[in-house]
Amino acid sequence: MLEVLAVIAIVAYVIGRQLLGEPLRGKRVILLPLVLAVVGLTRLGGHGAVRPVDVALLVVGAVIAAAIGTGQGSMMRLRDRDGGLWGQMPARSLWLWAALIGSRLTLMLLASTMGAHVAASSAPIVLMLGINRLAQAAMITRRAHRSGIPFAQEKDGSVFLGGRLQELNSRLDGLTGTPSKPSGPSSSSHPSSPSGPSNPTDPYNGPTTRR
C-alpha cells in the first residue's frame, strides 16, 4: 500500500512539473527513470516466484508503457531557453497518463485471473513507470539533438553527457539511415551559450522559440 501511495505521489509530482514547464536537465530526464526501472526490477522477486505467465504479462506491460512514453515524448513542447532545453507538456497529454494507468489496472486484473501473482501485485508498478519515463527520455533526447538544443545546465553548470550524447545519436542515425542535423559546437563545448542556428527546428513541433 505504501508503495502504491509513493508511486501516486511521484506521478502527481511529474505531471505537475510537466504541465507547468521546466528546464530539462539530463540527470533528471535520463538517470531518474533509470533508477526507477532498476529499483522496480529488483522488487519483483519479493512477491514470489516469477512464472512464464508473469514474464509474458510483464513484457506486454513494458511494451505498452514504452509506447505511451514515446507518445509523451513526441507530444512535449521543447524550447531553447537561456541556451538550454526547456519543456512543457500540453494539457491534452493527460489522456496518455490515463491510458498508462488504465493499462496497468487492466493487466493486473488479467494477471489475477490467470494466477500470475507477481504480475498482479504492485511490484511491477515502479518498473513500468521507469520504463515509461525512459521511453519518454529517449524521444526527448532525440528531438533535442535534432533541434540543436543541449540539455539545461545542471546546478554545477555542467551539461549532462555533453558531446557524448551527440556522438551516440549520430551513430544511431547512421545505423538507421536517418540524416542527423548537426547541433553545433556550442552544445558540447560551450553549454552556457545558445547552440545551433538562431531558430532551430523541431521536426515534431516546428520552429522552436528562444526566450
Side-chain angles (χ1 to χ4, degrees):
M1 185 62 180
L2 290 177
E3 184 178 39
V4 175
L5 292 176
V7 171
I8 292 175
I10 292 174
V11 170
Y13 176 74
V14 170
I15 291 176
R17 289 183 65 98
Q18 290 187 344
L19 290 177
L20 292 174
E22 61 178 333
L24 298 180
R25 298 180 174 91
K27 290 182 179 179
R28 180 185 293 275
V29 172
I30 298 176
L31 291 187
L32 183 57
L34 184 60
V35 170
L36 285 175
V38 171
V39 170
L41 188 62
T42 59
R43 292 185 63 84
L44 292 181
H47 291 260
V50 180
R51 301 166 53 200
V53 65
D54 289 298
V55 175
L57 290 172
L58 290 173
V59 169
V60 171
V63 171
I64 294 174
I68 293 175
T70 301
Q72 290 169 324
S74 300
M75 191 176 290
M76 180 171 284
R77 298 164 180 161
L78 301 181
R79 299 288 184 267
D80 183 339
R81 179 171 289 187
D82 298 326
L85 189 62
W86 187 88
Q88 183 178 28
M89 195 72 82
R92 69 178 184 275
S93 67
L94 291 175
W95 72 267
L96 287 174
W97 280 107
L100 180 64
I101 296 171
S103 66
R104 181 87 287 271
L105 293 176
T106 300
L107 285 174
M108 289 177 69
L109 291 175
L110 180 61
S112 180
T113 61
M114 298 175 65
H117 301 295
V118 175
S121 70
S122 61
I125 295 178
V126 176
L127 173 61
M128 297 306 159
L129 181 60
I131 292 173
N132 171 263
R133 299 294 83 200
L134 281 173
Q136 183 183 121
M139 177 57 71
I140 289 173
T141 301
R142 296 280 284 172
R143 290 177 57 200
H145 170 69
R146 294 178 189 281
S147 299
I149 310 174
F151 281 126
Q153 291 184 3
E154 304 293 335
K155 292 183 178 180
D156 61 0
S158 64
V159 175
F160 183 68
L161 291 181
R164 297 186 187 92
L165 189 58
Q166 296 176 24
E167 181 181 354
L168 175 60
N169 280 327
S170 297
R171 290 181 179 180
L172 290 175
D173 286 334
L175 291 175
T176 58
T178 304
S180 175
K181 180 178 180 179
S183 55
S186 58
S187 61
S188 59
S189 58
H190 301 288
S192 60
S193 61
S195 61
S198 58
N199 283 301
T201 300
D202 183 338
Y204 295 84
N205 283 342
T208 58
T209 57
R210 297 183 185 273
R211 301 183 182 181

mmCIF file of all heavy atoms in Angstrom, residues 172-208:
data_model
loop_
_atom_site.group_PDB
_atom_site.id
_atom_site.type_symbol
_atom_site.label_atom_id
_atom_site.label_comp_id
_atom_site.label_asym_id
_atom_site.label_seq_id
_atom_site.Cartn_x
_atom_site.Cartn_y
_atom_site.Cartn_z
ATOM 1 N N LEU A 172 23.531 6.361 -34.017
ATOM 2 C CA LEU A 172 22.215 5.779 -34.208
ATOM 3 C C LEU A 172 21.611 6.222 -35.533
ATOM 4 O O LEU A 172 20.965 5.438 -36.227
ATOM 5 C CB LEU A 172 21.296 6.183 -33.049
ATOM 6 C CG LEU A 172 21.605 5.548 -31.686
ATOM 7 C CD1 LEU A 172 20.700 6.136 -30.612
ATOM 8 C CD2 LEU A 172 21.445 4.040 -31.742
ATOM 9 N N ASP A 173 21.822 7.485 -35.894
ATOM 10 C CA ASP A 173 21.341 7.973 -37.181
ATOM 11 C C ASP A 173 21.991 7.203 -38.323
ATOM 12 O O ASP A 173 21.355 6.886 -39.324
ATOM 13 C CB ASP A 173 21.636 9.469 -37.334
ATOM 14 C CG ASP A 173 20.722 10.329 -36.473
ATOM 15 O OD1 ASP A 173 19.608 9.873 -36.177
ATOM 16 O OD2 ASP A 173 21.134 11.439 -36.095
ATOM 17 N N GLY A 174 23.290 6.901 -38.163
ATOM 18 C CA GLY A 174 23.988 6.159 -39.203
ATOM 19 C C GLY A 174 23.459 4.739 -39.346
ATOM 20 O O GLY A 174 23.335 4.217 -40.448
ATOM 21 N N LEU A 175 23.107 4.114 -38.213
ATOM 22 C CA LEU A 175 22.584 2.746 -38.243
ATOM 23 C C LEU A 175 21.190 2.693 -38.859
ATOM 24 O O LEU A 175 20.845 1.741 -39.548
ATOM 25 C CB LEU A 175 22.550 2.170 -36.828
ATOM 26 C CG LEU A 175 23.910 1.875 -36.186
ATOM 27 C CD1 LEU A 175 23.721 1.427 -34.740
ATOM 28 C CD2 LEU A 175 24.664 0.797 -36.970
ATOM 29 N N THR A 176 20.391 3.720 -38.592
ATOM 30 C CA THR A 176 19.019 3.729 -39.089
ATOM 31 C C THR A 176 18.880 4.408 -40.443
ATOM 32 O O THR A 176 17.810 4.393 -41.038
ATOM 33 C CB THR A 176 18.090 4.460 -38.087
ATOM 34 O OG1 THR A 176 18.572 5.799 -37.890
ATOM 35 C CG2 THR A 176 18.086 3.737 -36.750
ATOM 36 N N GLY A 177 19.971 5.032 -40.908
ATOM 37 C CA GLY A 177 19.913 5.716 -42.185
ATOM 38 C C GLY A 177 19.180 7.038 -42.135
ATOM 39 O O GLY A 177 18.761 7.556 -43.158
ATOM 40 N N THR A 178 19.012 7.593 -40.927
ATOM 41 C CA THR A 178 18.310 8.865 -40.762
ATOM 42 C C THR A 178 19.313 9.999 -40.767
ATOM 43 O O THR A 178 20.270 9.973 -39.994
ATOM 44 C CB THR A 178 17.539 8.893 -39.427
ATOM 45 O OG1 THR A 178 16.662 7.768 -39.395
ATOM 46 C CG2 THR A 178 16.732 10.180 -39.303
ATOM 47 N N PRO A 179 19.122 11.020 -41.611
ATOM 48 C CA PRO A 179 20.054 12.150 -41.609
ATOM 49 C C PRO A 179 19.975 12.888 -40.293
ATOM 50 O O PRO A 179 18.905 13.164 -39.775
ATOM 51 C CB PRO A 179 19.562 13.024 -42.767
ATOM 52 C CG PRO A 179 18.136 12.651 -42.950
ATOM 53 C CD PRO A 179 18.050 11.189 -42.592
ATOM 54 N N SER A 180 21.130 13.209 -39.728
ATOM 55 C CA SER A 180 21.190 13.896 -38.441
ATOM 56 C C SER A 180 21.514 15.358 -38.639
ATOM 57 O O SER A 180 22.399 15.709 -39.404
ATOM 58 C CB SER A 180 22.253 13.252 -37.544
ATOM 59 O OG SER A 180 22.398 13.959 -36.349
ATOM 60 N N LYS A 181 20.784 16.211 -37.945
ATOM 61 C CA LYS A 181 21.035 17.638 -38.036
ATOM 62 C C LYS A 181 22.122 18.025 -37.057
ATOM 63 O O LYS A 181 21.997 17.759 -35.862
ATOM 64 C CB LYS A 181 19.753 18.416 -37.717
ATOM 65 C CG LYS A 181 19.935 19.923 -37.789
ATOM 66 C CD LYS A 181 18.626 20.627 -37.520
ATOM 67 C CE LYS A 181 18.790 22.119 -37.590
ATOM 68 N NZ LYS A 181 17.538 22.833 -37.359
ATOM 69 N N PRO A 182 23.222 18.594 -37.510
ATOM 70 C CA PRO A 182 24.287 18.959 -36.579
ATOM 71 C C PRO A 182 23.792 19.977 -35.577
ATOM 72 O O PRO A 182 23.037 20.883 -35.909
ATOM 73 C CB PRO A 182 25.377 19.546 -37.487
ATOM 74 C CG PRO A 182 24.656 19.968 -38.730
ATOM 75 C CD PRO A 182 23.521 19.003 -38.890
ATOM 76 N N SER A 183 24.211 19.798 -34.327
ATOM 77 C CA SER A 183 23.734 20.681 -33.276
ATOM 78 C C SER A 183 24.722 21.779 -32.946
ATOM 79 O O SER A 183 24.509 22.529 -32.011
ATOM 80 C CB SER A 183 23.435 19.863 -32.016
ATOM 81 O OG SER A 183 24.554 19.123 -31.639
ATOM 82 N N GLY A 184 25.812 21.870 -33.679
ATOM 83 C CA GLY A 184 26.745 22.982 -33.486
ATOM 84 C C GLY A 184 27.700 22.711 -32.358
ATOM 85 O O GLY A 184 27.408 21.975 -31.426
ATOM 86 N N PRO A 185 28.883 23.302 -32.387
ATOM 87 C CA PRO A 185 29.882 23.047 -31.368
ATOM 88 C C PRO A 185 29.504 23.599 -30.013
ATOM 89 O O PRO A 185 29.988 23.139 -29.008
ATOM 90 C CB PRO A 185 31.135 23.750 -31.922
ATOM 91 C CG PRO A 185 30.592 24.830 -32.826
ATOM 92 C CD PRO A 185 29.354 24.262 -33.412
ATOM 93 N N SER A 186 28.627 24.602 -29.966
ATOM 94 C CA SER A 186 28.338 25.232 -28.686
ATOM 95 C C SER A 186 27.600 24.327 -27.749
ATOM 96 O O SER A 186 27.664 24.469 -26.550
ATOM 97 C CB SER A 186 27.510 26.504 -28.898
ATOM 98 O OG SER A 186 26.307 26.203 -29.582
ATOM 99 N N SER A 187 26.840 23.321 -28.272
ATOM 100 C CA SER A 187 26.075 22.470 -27.389
ATOM 101 C C SER A 187 26.939 21.504 -26.623
ATOM 102 O O SER A 187 26.536 20.967 -25.613
ATOM 103 C CB SER A 187 25.032 21.675 -28.198
ATOM 104 O OG SER A 187 25.687 20.851 -29.139
ATOM 105 N N SER A 188 28.160 21.238 -27.088
ATOM 106 C CA SER A 188 29.014 20.308 -26.377
ATOM 107 C C SER A 188 30.157 20.999 -25.655
ATOM 108 O O SER A 188 30.508 20.651 -24.548
ATOM 109 C CB SER A 188 29.567 19.264 -27.359
ATOM 110 O OG SER A 188 30.308 19.907 -28.375
ATOM 111 N N SER A 189 30.767 22.015 -26.296
ATOM 112 C CA SER A 189 31.930 22.626 -25.684
ATOM 113 C C SER A 189 31.611 23.883 -24.917
ATOM 114 O O SER A 189 32.375 24.306 -24.072
ATOM 115 C CB SER A 189 32.973 22.936 -26.773
ATOM 116 O OG SER A 189 32.410 23.786 -27.764
ATOM 117 N N HIS A 190 30.457 24.515 -25.215
ATOM 118 C CA HIS A 190 30.077 25.728 -24.512
ATOM 119 C C HIS A 190 28.615 25.632 -24.122
ATOM 120 O O HIS A 190 27.744 26.240 -24.739
ATOM 121 C CB HIS A 190 30.286 26.950 -25.413
ATOM 122 C CG HIS A 190 31.717 27.100 -25.858
ATOM 123 N ND1 HIS A 190 32.721 27.502 -25.014
ATOM 124 C CD2 HIS A 190 32.293 26.874 -27.059
ATOM 125 C CE1 HIS A 190 33.878 27.546 -25.693
ATOM 126 N NE2 HIS A 190 33.628 27.163 -26.910
ATOM 127 N N PRO A 191 28.293 24.847 -23.097
ATOM 128 C CA PRO A 191 26.894 24.608 -22.775
ATOM 129 C C PRO A 191 26.154 25.829 -22.310
ATOM 130 O O PRO A 191 24.950 25.857 -22.318
ATOM 131 C CB PRO A 191 26.979 23.554 -21.650
ATOM 132 C CG PRO A 191 28.352 23.724 -21.067
ATOM 133 C CD PRO A 191 29.206 24.149 -22.204
ATOM 134 N N SER A 192 26.848 26.880 -21.856
ATOM 135 C CA SER A 192 26.147 28.038 -21.333
ATOM 136 C C SER A 192 25.714 29.003 -22.409
ATOM 137 O O SER A 192 24.964 29.935 -22.162
ATOM 138 C CB SER A 192 27.043 28.787 -20.335
ATOM 139 O OG SER A 192 28.230 29.232 -20.978
ATOM 140 N N SER A 193 26.193 28.816 -23.643
ATOM 141 C CA SER A 193 25.843 29.715 -24.730
ATOM 142 C C SER A 193 24.798 29.071 -25.602
ATOM 143 O O SER A 193 24.700 27.857 -25.678
ATOM 144 C CB SER A 193 27.094 30.030 -25.567
ATOM 145 O OG SER A 193 27.606 28.854 -26.124
ATOM 146 N N PRO A 194 23.979 29.859 -26.309
ATOM 147 C CA PRO A 194 22.965 29.287 -27.196
ATOM 148 C C PRO A 194 23.613 28.427 -28.247
ATOM 149 O O PRO A 194 24.689 28.715 -28.749
ATOM 150 C CB PRO A 194 22.287 30.529 -27.817
ATOM 151 C CG PRO A 194 22.577 31.634 -26.841
ATOM 152 C CD PRO A 194 23.928 31.323 -26.265
ATOM 153 N N SER A 195 22.951 27.340 -28.615
ATOM 154 C CA SER A 195 23.539 26.391 -29.546
ATOM 155 C C SER A 195 22.808 26.404 -30.866
ATOM 156 O O SER A 195 21.642 26.727 -30.954
ATOM 157 C CB SER A 195 23.470 24.983 -28.951
ATOM 158 O OG SER A 195 22.120 24.628 -28.739
ATOM 159 N N GLY A 196 23.543 25.977 -31.920
ATOM 160 C CA GLY A 196 22.950 25.780 -33.225
ATOM 161 C C GLY A 196 22.518 27.088 -33.863
ATOM 162 O O GLY A 196 22.882 28.181 -33.447
ATOM 163 N N PRO A 197 21.653 26.997 -34.858
ATOM 164 C CA PRO A 197 21.203 28.172 -35.587
ATOM 165 C C PRO A 197 20.256 28.993 -34.747
ATOM 166 O O PRO A 197 19.789 28.585 -33.706
ATOM 167 C CB PRO A 197 20.490 27.558 -36.812
ATOM 168 C CG PRO A 197 20.086 26.203 -36.364
ATOM 169 C CD PRO A 197 21.161 25.752 -35.429
ATOM 170 N N SER A 198 19.937 30.192 -35.231
ATOM 171 C CA SER A 198 19.142 31.117 -34.447
ATOM 172 C C SER A 198 17.736 30.621 -34.214
ATOM 173 O O SER A 198 17.127 30.924 -33.210
ATOM 174 C CB SER A 198 19.078 32.482 -35.161
ATOM 175 O OG SER A 198 18.532 32.329 -36.466
ATOM 176 N N ASN A 199 17.174 29.828 -35.124
ATOM 177 C CA ASN A 199 15.844 29.293 -34.946
ATOM 178 C C ASN A 199 15.836 27.803 -35.286
ATOM 179 O O ASN A 199 15.401 27.403 -36.364
ATOM 180 C CB ASN A 199 14.828 30.025 -35.847
ATOM 181 C CG ASN A 199 14.464 31.380 -35.288
ATOM 182 O OD1 ASN A 199 13.971 31.486 -34.169
ATOM 183 N ND2 ASN A 199 14.716 32.411 -36.063
ATOM 184 N N PRO A 200 16.364 26.956 -34.382
ATOM 185 C CA PRO A 200 16.378 25.525 -34.678
ATOM 186 C C PRO A 200 14.967 25.011 -34.851
ATOM 187 O O PRO A 200 14.035 25.499 -34.245
ATOM 188 C CB PRO A 200 17.053 24.930 -33.421
ATOM 189 C CG PRO A 200 16.825 25.930 -32.339
ATOM 190 C CD PRO A 200 16.840 27.263 -33.028
ATOM 191 N N THR A 201 14.837 24.012 -35.686
ATOM 192 C CA THR A 201 13.516 23.476 -35.983
ATOM 193 C C THR A 201 13.371 22.090 -35.403
ATOM 194 O O THR A 201 14.189 21.215 -35.620
ATOM 195 C CB THR A 201 13.307 23.413 -37.511
ATOM 196 O OG1 THR A 201 13.413 24.732 -38.029
ATOM 197 C CG2 THR A 201 11.929 22.846 -37.829
ATOM 198 N N ASP A 202 12.320 21.910 -34.650
ATOM 199 C CA ASP A 202 11.979 20.605 -34.110
ATOM 200 C C ASP A 202 11.063 19.932 -35.129
ATOM 201 O O ASP A 202 10.020 20.479 -35.474
ATOM 202 C CB ASP A 202 11.245 20.803 -32.781
ATOM 203 C CG ASP A 202 10.916 19.490 -32.102
ATOM 204 O OD1 ASP A 202 10.862 18.474 -32.811
ATOM 205 O OD2 ASP A 202 10.702 19.490 -30.885
ATOM 206 N N PRO A 203 11.431 18.756 -35.634
ATOM 207 C CA PRO A 203 10.602 18.107 -36.659
ATOM 208 C C PRO A 203 9.220 17.756 -36.159
ATOM 209 O O PRO A 203 8.335 17.444 -36.934
ATOM 210 C CB PRO A 203 11.395 16.829 -37.013
ATOM 211 C CG PRO A 203 12.290 16.607 -35.857
ATOM 212 C CD PRO A 203 12.608 17.969 -35.320
ATOM 213 N N TYR A 204 8.988 17.779 -34.848
ATOM 214 C CA TYR A 204 7.679 17.458 -34.304
ATOM 215 C C TYR A 204 6.867 18.718 -34.006
ATOM 216 O O TYR A 204 5.668 18.760 -34.213
ATOM 217 C CB TYR A 204 7.807 16.650 -33.014
ATOM 218 C CG TYR A 204 8.427 15.299 -33.235
ATOM 219 C CD1 TYR A 204 9.807 15.140 -33.274
ATOM 220 C CD2 TYR A 204 7.644 14.166 -33.417
ATOM 221 C CE1 TYR A 204 10.374 13.900 -33.475
ATOM 222 C CE2 TYR A 204 8.204 12.922 -33.629
ATOM 223 C CZ TYR A 204 9.565 12.794 -33.658
ATOM 224 O OH TYR A 204 10.140 11.579 -33.849
ATOM 225 N N ASN A 205 7.514 19.755 -33.491
ATOM 226 C CA ASN A 205 6.792 20.936 -33.061
ATOM 227 C C ASN A 205 6.935 22.122 -33.988
ATOM 228 O O ASN A 205 6.330 23.157 -33.769
ATOM 229 C CB ASN A 205 7.298 21.383 -31.672
ATOM 230 C CG ASN A 205 6.738 20.489 -30.588
ATOM 231 O OD1 ASN A 205 5.755 19.793 -30.810
ATOM 232 N ND2 ASN A 205 7.359 20.489 -29.432
ATOM 233 N N GLY A 206 7.783 22.027 -35.016
ATOM 234 C CA GLY A 206 8.057 23.178 -35.856
ATOM 235 C C GLY A 206 9.120 24.045 -35.225
ATOM 236 O O GLY A 206 9.871 23.613 -34.348
ATOM 237 N N PRO A 207 9.230 25.295 -35.638
ATOM 238 C CA PRO A 207 10.292 26.174 -35.133
ATOM 239 C C PRO A 207 10.180 26.353 -33.640
ATOM 240 O O PRO A 207 9.092 26.538 -33.110
ATOM 241 C CB PRO A 207 10.029 27.496 -35.881
ATOM 242 C CG PRO A 207 9.202 27.120 -37.049
ATOM 243 C CD PRO A 207 8.380 25.942 -36.640
ATOM 244 N N THR A 208 11.309 26.228 -32.948
ATOM 245 C CA THR A 208 11.332 26.494 -31.521
ATOM 246 C C THR A 208 11.604 27.969 -31.301
ATOM 247 O O THR A 208 12.106 28.667 -32.172
ATOM 248 C CB THR A 208 12.423 25.661 -30.817
ATOM 249 O OG1 THR A 208 13.673 25.980 -31.428
ATOM 250 C CG2 THR A 208 12.144 24.191 -30.968
#
